[in-house]
Amino acid sequence: YKNKKASEAHKKAEEKKAAIAAAASIDGKSITYRATGGADGRLYAAVTAADISAKIKETFGIDVDKRKLVLNDNIKNVGEYNVTVKLYPEISAKIKVLVQN
């Protein structure tokens, strides 16, 4: 029982340390996402949390689950958006997403 508790505590400590390192490497950074859209700035297809997650992995090499990204709604227009990445309880990072045509 003691070994199991110690193992769980060690695992949580490692996860927290990895989350802190990931937050430090992406906090305040920006990514550019290219999407097709019309001349009025409206996109043909929305940019979803899964798209942003894939772009973060491609750009920074950090695997972030799409459920950990906080978006008010799917991105449907060209522009700059602030996205919060919740990496661990009480550990989050903010990243800017620039959506371009």
Side-chain angles (χ1 to χ4, degrees):
Y1 179 76
K2 288 181 183 178
N3 287 338
K4 186 176 180 182
K5 286 289 187 186
S7 174
E8 289 175 7
H10 183 307
K11 183 178 176 185
K12 285 185 179 186
E14 290 296 317
E15 288 175 357
K16 188 172 184 178
K17 188 167 42 167
I20 290 171
S25 66
I26 66 173
D27 192 33
K29 302 275 173 67
S30 65
I31 59 172
T32 303
Y33 189 86
R34 291 208 171 274
T36 56
D40 61 348
R42 202 144 159 78
L43 302 176
Y44 294 138
V47 178
T48 63
D51 297 329
I52 296 171
S53 174
K55 191 68 171 176
I56 290 173
K57 184 172 183 168
E58 176 187 322
T59 306
F60 300 110
I62 297 170
D63 196 15
V64 177
D65 191 339
K66 67 180 182 178
R67 294 172 290 197
K68 294 184 178 187
L69 297 174
V70 179
L71 288 171
N72 295 336
D73 199 11
N74 288 337
I75 299 171
K76 298 178 182 175
N77 293 312
V78 172
E80 183 177 307
Y81 299 89
N82 292 319
V83 177
T84 302
V85 182
K86 294 193 175 199
L87 297 164
Y88 197 79
E90 302 171 2
I91 299 173
S92 62
K94 294 201 181 281
I95 191 167
K96 286 186 181 182
V97 179
L98 305 169
V99 180
Q100 298 177 346
N101 248 344

